[in-house]
Each structure stands twice: as C-alpha cells, then as structure tokens.
Amino acid sequence: KGELGSVRNIGVAGNPNPVVENIVSRSKYSYTYAQPYTPIFYHGTMSIEATGANSSRLHYTLIWNQAAVGDAAAQAAAKASRQSRFQAAVDKMAAAANAP
C-alpha cells in the first residue's frame, strides 16, 4: 500500500529474482526506500518541492555502496548508467505531471 514499512518486489528484465524494496521513510511529499538485499545496499528518495504558486520540482536522490561494483572505471560506468536511467524516469514523471 506504500505505507511506512511496506515491502514491494520489483521484477527486473533479465533477472529471475525480484528486487526487494522497503519503504523506510514517508512524508506528504516524499518517500525513501531501501534495497537491503543487494550488495550495493541501495537507498532512494523521491520528493517534490514547491518552487512557486503553480510549480514544483521533482527530486530523486540515490545512494549506494559503490565499492561493491568494482574498480573506479566500473563505478563510473555504474553511476553514468543510473543517472541516465533515473533521469529518463524523472523526465517521464514530469511529462505526465505537465500533460494537459
């Protein structure tokens, strides 16, 4: 239901095991999840911040253990991949929010 403490399983293409996420924090305009069973111990926060009377900004912050990814080159590639994927997701959310 998306409440604090909720657990969701997300299917990922090419991976037979679902990704488990726990909602660890939630407010009226944000939520934070953790993926405790991954080697990189992912955490993400999505929030909306008012920027004016009729406008807002969507923030998506990710934190993970880069050491589990490998050397500096692998870490840079993992970061670039995540930035690209999550920016695309944020762009889709913004487009849906701004649709007439």
Side-chain angles (χ1 to χ4, degrees), residues 49-62:
E49 169 190 349
T51 57
N54 295 312
S55 63
S56 59
R57 178 173 290 142
L58 180 64
H59 295 273
Y60 206 131
T61 305
L62 300 172

Side-chain angles (χ1 to χ4, degrees), residues 34-81:
Q35 294 178 355
Y37 303 119
T38 64
I40 59 173
F41 196 44
Y42 225 63
H43 288 72
T45 297
M46 181 179 290
S47 62
I48 300 173
E49 169 190 349
T51 57
N54 295 312
S55 63
S56 59
R57 178 173 290 142
L58 180 64
H59 295 273
Y60 206 131
T61 305
L62 300 172
I63 299 172
W64 73 93
N65 174 13
Q66 290 189 61
V69 175
D71 64 11
Q75 291 172 10
K79 179 180 179 182
S81 174

Side-chain angles (χ1 to χ4, degrees), residues 62 64 76 78-88:
L62 300 172
W64 73 93
K79 179 180 179 182
S81 174
R82 283 175 175 79
Q83 283 178 319
S84 176
R85 279 188 317 200
F86 282 90
Q87 186 61 55

